[in-house]
Amino acid sequence: MERHRTIDASSGDQNRHRLSRAGNRRINRVLHIMAIVQLRNDTEGRRYYRRILADGKTTMEAMRALKRRLSDVVYRQMTADATRLRTGPGGQAGATLQSSAADSNPEADTSEKPLPGPAEPHPRTLAPATP
C-alpha cells in the first residue's frame, strides 16, 4: 500500500513525479513549523533528521520523514488524551445523565415556550392627503 500520492510532473523526455500537496494544509503547516523548531534546537527530532540524511536520503525526504514522525507523536497524544478524558453523554468530561448538561427531560422556561400564534392584522388608516 502506497502511503504518498504522486502526481505526474513529466515534461518532454524527462519522466518525473512529485508528491501530491492534497490534504489539510493547516495541519501540514503546523507540522512543518514543528519540524523547523526541532531542527533549530538540539532535540531527538534533529538527531533523527541527521540519521535519515546519513542513510543517504535527500533533505526533502528527511524533512518528510521527520514530519511523519511528529504527526505520529501528535496522533498518539490526541488518542491518549481522548481515552483519558472519556467524555460523558453531555459531551463534556465528567458529564452524567444526572447532570444538568445532559438532562434527558429538560423543563421549558418561560422564555423557551412558544408564542400563541401570529398577530391579528390591523388595517392601517392613511392620513388624509393635504391639499
Side-chain angles (χ1 to χ4, degrees), residues 4-74:
H4 304 292
R5 211 175 340 177
T6 60
I7 297 174
D8 184 34
S10 301
S11 176
D13 291 335
Q14 283 191 327
N15 189 10
R16 292 185 312 236
H17 291 85
R18 68 175 179 83
L19 287 176
S20 170
R21 293 183 50 131
N24 189 321
R25 304 309 306 152
R26 294 172 81 185
I27 291 176
N28 191 35
R29 177 174 163 74
V30 169
L31 289 171
H32 181 78
I33 292 170
M34 289 170 61
I36 295 298
V37 169
Q38 290 281 307
L39 295 179
R40 286 183 180 170
N41 299 296
D42 186 23
T43 62
E44 179 59 34
R46 183 184 203 175
R47 289 185 285 280
Y48 176 76
Y49 177 83
R50 288 187 175 162
R51 279 196 308 270
I52 298 294
L53 289 176
D55 288 344
K57 301 291 184 181
T58 67
T59 56
M60 292 286 284
E61 290 171 322
M63 177 63 87
R64 189 177 317 119
L66 176 58
K67 287 165 67 172
R68 177 64 189 195
R69 189 173 194 176
L70 291 171
S71 73
D72 291 345
V73 169
V74 169

